[in-house]
Amino acid sequence: MYHFIFKCLTLFSCLNFSLVDFDDGNCPTYFNQIRGLHNVFQAVHSQLHGAPHISQAPVLMLRPRAWNMVEHNMMVEGKEAPGPLFDFGLLMFHCGKMLFENKSGPFFYLSKVESFVEARLWNKIFVWTQEKLGLPLGCIKATVLIENVLAAFEMEEILFELRDHSAGLNCGIWDYSASFVNKFAHKSCVSPPGHRHNFLLPDRSKYVNMEKRFLRSYMDLLVQTCHRRGALATGGMAALLLPQDPLSDSHQEVLATVSRLKMLEIEAGVDGFMVYDLRLIEPMQKLFQRHTEGDNQLHQLRTDVSVTPEDLLSMPSGGVTPYGLKYNIAVGVLFMNAWLSGVGHFVYRGQVEDSATAEISRSQVWQWIRHQTRLEDESRVVSRQLVTEVSREVLMELIPLCHTVRDKERLHTAADMFLEVVLKRDFPEFITSYLNQDHTFLSSQDRGRVALDADVPRHKL
């Protein structure tokens, strides 16, 4: 229960904020949504055994689904309800007033916002909700995740539209990187020898990180924009997990890696960041406190920064490695397998994967196929045939980890679904909305409900 509720912690102003994720890290089956909402209700109303009173607990940052998702189980005027309104409405109706009275919110985390128009819509929703619930105007606060390249050009406008309700902006590396494929895939073309594709994103496992120009510029601009307006700017999430043995070399290596990456964010001027592994909270808080002068870095106005459109749109150089291709395929297959199991995230090779990493993984594979990208140090080209062959290799490596026949069948289905997505001529805009409308995923929910209801007594007719 606690793992579902407190997916990851965001740290700013020396406080702990628990991100309650109904979006990227959650598989939106109806059972999961209702169970998650009930978990939040219990936490807010101090009904969780052994948990502190809500006024003493880490502040909950509630993350509803994004606008690309719908709730199949609720109809409004003959249409399926938008997923974010379903989540937001129930959370506010049952928990909003209690959170406000205990000075614990309500705080929200808004993902996949692409423009100031969406921010304006959220602001209208906040105002209407506060009026209906008798809450003071501006008591709802929201952090907007800038994870789309188009939104990077409208940060000022997004803050303005939410000015009475803003809790700042946040960076998200993988969905942001994937948005380049989403929005500009048609701009990439096969170029003459010696020329790079305009928006061809190289192997993320080797060439894409926050030190690259397009991502560093994005973070610098976000911090500068926020601090100029007195708003908080937060960095991304550390998905790495610490090995169990604190004395092992691998434990120290992971800690050093996370510390190095978070130092880049601290030096950029962020007011906090996120970690998944709860054991990283204390060392990362100490790191933040050791290298900053107060509870936040709002005084860092970053007047040294002058980010241009060219900076934001500059793709890093680099190619595609066989390892990177295989890794992306494995993440994509395992993500779909997790969703078919009713789970929204999983651990692979020492770090947490969710829809954000699945999004960049399948986006890259699709783009590499489309533009016949050559593998580094090899004569092979990323083609439909090669991706199919590598998918089979991945499947053979993962099959031994399956414990039952049903597990094996589900993994095979996931591999087929992944190939269906990356081999399509047209690029599906969001992998989550694509799956949420897929008959295979929907029928798997039905089977899950049957299994869950098997022990429930039925009235005889």
Side-chain angles (χ1 to χ4, degrees):
M1 181 181 297
Y2 290 102
H3 180 71
F4 179 84
I5 294 179
F6 306 132
K7 175 176 174 279
C8 51
L9 279 288
T10 179
L11 318 172
F12 58 78
S13 300
C14 295
L15 296 175
N16 286 347
F17 282 71
S18 300
L19 181 61
V20 185
D21 191 3
F22 291 92
D23 192 34
D24 278 4
N26 174 53
C27 177
T29 65
Y30 193 56
F31 176 80
N32 283 352
Q33 294 305 119
I34 298 302
R35 180 183 63 175
L37 291 164
H38 184 244
N39 286 347
V40 174
F41 177 89
Q42 287 186 304
V44 171
H45 291 82
S46 303
Q47 296 177 6
L48 287 178
H49 179 71
H53 189 272
I54 188 62
S55 61
Q56 304 299 318
V59 174
L60 303 183
M61 183 72 79
L62 308 170
R63 179 178 181 173
R65 283 170 285 184
W67 287 111
N68 63 301
M69 300 298 286
V70 297
E71 177 51 62
H72 298 301
N73 296 279
M74 183 178 182
M75 305 288 285
V76 179
E77 297 182 354
K79 296 180 180 179
E80 293 175 321
L85 295 187
F86 179 87
D87 300 339
F88 173 80
L90 287 174
L91 288 166
M92 279 301 299
F93 181 80
H94 291 290
C95 305
K97 187 164 289 188
M98 182 68 74
L99 287 169
F100 174 71
E101 290 174 351
N102 285 278
K103 299 181 180 179
S104 297
F107 296 121
F108 287 89
Y109 184 87
L110 308 178
S111 60
K112 298 178 179 63
V113 173
E114 295 190 6
S115 76
F116 73 90
V117 177
E118 292 180 30
R120 180 181 297 169
L121 174 60
W122 271 116
N123 193 71
K124 290 180 179 179
I125 292 168
F126 293 162
V127 171
W128 184 88
T129 302
Q130 288 161 158
E131 290 176 352
K132 294 296 181 180
L133 295 179
L135 295 171
L137 180 67
C139 73
I140 295 175
K141 299 297 181 185
T143 295
V144 175
L145 173 54
I146 303 295
E147 56 182 344
N148 186 285
V149 61
L150 302 184
F153 289 86
E154 298 187 10
M155 293 186 199
E156 293 268 13
E157 292 84 350
I158 289 171
L159 281 177
F160 176 79
E161 294 295 343
L162 287 164
R163 56 194 178 279
D164 294 326
H165 301 98
S166 181
L169 304 177
N170 173 250
C171 294
I173 178 174
W174 294 129
D175 270 326
Y176 182 78
S177 299
S179 74
F180 280 80
V181 182
N182 188 330
K183 300 303 180 183
F184 303 135
H186 62 289
K187 295 292 186 183
S188 301
C189 56
V190 179
S191 305
H195 292 76
R196 281 195 297 118
H197 304 314
N198 290 337
F199 290 103
L200 186 60
L201 197 62
D203 190 338
R204 72 180 179 99
S205 63
K206 185 176 181 180
Y207 298 110
V208 181
N209 55 62
M210 290 306 297
E211 295 172 279
K212 299 302 179 182
R213 177 183 171 189
F214 82 114
L215 290 175
R216 186 183 67 250
S217 299
Y218 149 67
M219 178 178 286
D220 287 343
L221 180 61
L222 185 143
V223 171
Q224 182 191 61
T225 302
C226 285
H227 288 183
R228 188 162 55 204
R229 302 296 181 184
L232 294 168
T234 49
M237 186 187 77
L240 287 169
L241 301 177
L242 287 171
Q244 292 298 322
D245 183 3
L247 300 178
S248 65
D249 291 340
S250 57
H251 186 281
Q252 296 305 315
E253 289 173 6
V254 170
L255 186 58
T257 298
V258 174
S259 298
R260 182 180 67 82
L261 294 175
K262 292 308 171 189
M263 269 305 303
L264 292 174
E265 298 180 6
I266 291 172
E267 290 169 355
V270 301
D271 303 296
F273 36 69
M274 293 183 282
V275 299
Y276 181 91
D277 192 330
L278 301 183
R279 295 169 296 171
L280 283 168
I281 295 174
E282 185 177 351
M284 292 306 105
Q285 279 185 324
K286 289 181 178 178
L287 183 74
F288 186 85
Q289 293 164 3
R290 189 162 58 247
H291 294 279
T292 59
E293 299 175 1
D295 292 345
N296 54 58
Q297 299 199 83
L298 287 171
H299 61 283
Q300 297 282 2
L301 299 180
R302 295 306 309 270
T303 55
D304 59 309
V305 170
S306 179
V307 176
T308 66
E310 184 181 4
D311 293 328
L312 293 173
L313 299 175
S314 175
M315 289 290 91
S317 59
V320 179
T321 67
Y323 172 84
L325 175 62
K326 192 171 185 179
Y327 188 89
N328 277 346
I329 291 173
V331 169
V333 170
L334 287 171
F335 173 74
M336 293 189 178
N337 183 68
W339 261 50
L340 292 175
S341 307
V343 179
H345 60 283
F346 59 95
V347 176
Y348 182 61
R349 297 191 177 180
Q351 65 181 20
V352 175
E353 309 281 358
D354 61 10
S355 71
T357 49
E359 197 69 79
I360 184 63
S361 295
R362 66 95 183 186
S363 297
Q364 288 206 303
V365 175
W366 181 91
Q367 190 183 41
W368 295 340
I369 293 173
R370 179 181 174 85
H371 301 294
Q372 301 177 352
T373 310
R374 191 173 300 280
L375 293 177
E376 288 186 349
D377 305 323
E378 292 190 28
S379 60
R380 292 187 298 171
V381 167
V382 181
S383 63
R384 295 165 65 94
Q385 180 179 347
L386 178 61
V387 169
T388 302
E389 291 172 357
V390 176
S391 296
R392 290 179 186 147
E393 292 177 17
V394 169
L395 196 59
M396 292 303 101
E397 293 176 6
L398 295 175
I399 282 292
L401 303 178
C402 298
H403 302 295
T404 66
V405 173
R406 175 170 288 185
D407 290 342
K408 293 180 181 179
E409 291 175 346
R410 185 170 56 240
L411 187 62
H412 276 284
T413 301
D416 291 341
M417 292 172 68
F418 175 78
L419 286 174
E420 179 184 318
V421 170
V422 298
L423 299 182
K424 287 178 70 69
R425 179 180 179 84
D426 298 319
F427 182 79
E429 189 170 11
F430 296 104
I431 191 172
T432 47
S433 49
Y434 182 85
L435 292 177
N436 199 41
Q437 301 291 342
D438 186 88
H439 67 91
T440 306
F441 170 65
L442 295 176
S443 61
S444 73
Q445 290 190 56
D446 292 335
R447 287 195 300 273
R449 278 196 290 268
V450 170
L452 288 166
D453 294 343
D455 297 327
V456 177
R458 300 287 185 185
H459 290 293
K460 293 182 179 180
L461 295 176

